[in-house]
Amino acid sequence: MMKDHIHDNVTKVGEESTMSWDTADSYRYEQSITLKIPGYEHMHDMMEKLLAASITDNNDTHILVTGAGGGKEITLLGTSHREWRLTGMDTSFQMLQLAQQKAQEAGITGRTILIEGTIEQLPEEALYDGATCMLMLHFIEGIEAKRSFLRQLALRLKPGAPLIIAAVNADLASPAYPVMMQAWREHMLQAGILAEEWDRFAASLGQQSDPVSGELMVQLLAECGFSQMTRYYGAFWVEAYYASRD
């Protein structure tokens, strides 16, 4: 049974925790993420436009936002589409607090539900018209766990519904890996990220996160009920794709 947590619009359905892009507080995350990823804002703007282009009937449109902590996707979609309803999920209570605050500031709490928990805990009968999964798949550890998540996500989408997914898709064994990382390091340092923060991030890949190659992510999507995978964005090891539920 779900119970109220920090707000009427925020429900807690599980106790599981997850890794985060940056283990510092959520406000620091919000400030630093745009410095770390070139074109971060453009990636999200294109995400909104791809969803809008895929959804032809806006009547009672309901979008699922996985990894909604921080509130970036919730507020962008909620303010761009006043007719859409949004359900956001995350396993981080701290990050959901930030999402709740941003939703309140944007005046979209009446159309937004925030849930602390995992996708397996969503009712299977609740089918959504589209979904986003931005910068979270690499925090799911292990191929089988990633496969399980994507299958559960597919089960909760209507046939033909769009999925916009972005992740750190790094091939740790690639000869290009050190070159890409050195270039990414220079970008972050020039953007104002401290050297020690870069060191923590670089050390976390493969330790506190579990990235896979873009080719493998596309393969997993195909195995789990998605098609039409199309890459629409790339910055160093970060990639974003459009896909459609079979």
Side-chain angles (χ1 to χ4, degrees):
M1 180 177 180
M2 294 188 286
K3 64 177 182 177
D4 292 340
H5 198 34
I6 59 175
H7 187 272
D8 288 345
N9 282 1
V10 181
T11 304
K12 184 173 183 178
V13 295
E15 298 291 340
E16 299 178 35
S17 62
T18 188
M19 295 174 286
S20 64
W21 173 278
D22 188 331
T23 56
D25 66 84
S26 55
Y27 293 95
R28 185 167 174 270
Y29 170 92
E30 183 181 27
Q31 294 167 357
S32 67
I33 191 69
T34 58
L35 303 179
K36 291 179 176 180
I37 301 178
Y40 175 81
E41 296 291 343
H42 293 303
M43 177 178 69
H44 283 82
D45 287 343
M46 288 185 280
M47 174 270 293
E48 179 272 320
K49 289 177 174 59
L50 283 166
L51 277 181
S54 303
I55 297 172
T56 56
D57 184 3
N58 283 316
N59 293 322
D60 200 31
T61 296
H62 197 172
I63 303 297
L64 175 63
V65 178
T66 62
K72 175 65 176 179
E73 297 90 77
I74 288 286
T75 52
L76 174 58
L77 297 175
T79 55
S80 299
H81 302 277
R82 294 289 177 179
E83 67 278 16
W84 288 6
R85 293 183 294 125
L86 303 162
T87 291
M89 295 196 66
D90 205 294
T91 57
S92 169
F93 168 69
Q94 188 176 27
M95 293 297 286
L96 278 176
Q97 285 182 304
L98 180 56
Q100 179 199 15
Q101 176 184 326
K102 294 180 74 171
Q104 288 173 331
E105 292 170 352
I108 61 172
T109 54
R111 295 180 287 115
T112 302
I113 298 172
L114 297 177
I115 298 172
E116 184 187 359
T118 64
I119 194 167
E120 292 83 1
Q121 295 163 313
L122 277 178
E124 289 191 19
E125 62 273 13
L127 294 180
Y128 298 88
D129 300 285
T132 67
C133 178
M134 304 296 284
L135 299 176
M136 68 160 286
L137 190 68
H138 51 275
F139 291 129
I140 299 175
E141 188 172 358
I143 295 297
E144 285 307 316
K146 295 181 197 295
R147 187 177 284 116
S148 175
F149 168 80
L150 291 172
R151 283 175 175 161
Q152 291 292 328
L153 181 53
L155 285 174
R156 285 158 178 80
L157 291 176
K158 296 176 181 178
L163 167 66
I164 311 300
I165 183 168
V168 176
N169 289 337
D171 182 353
L172 304 184
S174 168
Y177 184 78
V179 176
M180 294 287 283
M181 292 297 283
Q182 178 62 27
W184 202 354
R185 178 182 186 276
E186 291 307 308
H187 166 80
M188 287 200 195
L189 296 185
Q190 290 177 13
I193 297 297
L194 298 177
E196 52 267 32
E197 188 171 350
W198 161 262
D199 290 340
R200 288 195 299 271
F201 165 69
S204 74
L205 293 181
Q207 299 296 322
Q208 294 174 304
S209 63
D210 185 26
V212 296
S213 68
E215 293 81 3
L216 182 52
M217 188 180 82
V218 169
Q219 178 182 327
L220 288 171
L221 286 166
E223 291 175 4
C224 297
F226 294 95
S227 60
Q228 303 182 45
M229 280 71 75
T230 305
R231 184 177 184 264
Y232 78 86
Y233 165 92
F236 298 120
W237 288 120
V238 178
E239 295 183 318
Y241 287 80
Y242 163 89
S244 177
R245 171 72 168 94
D246 289 342

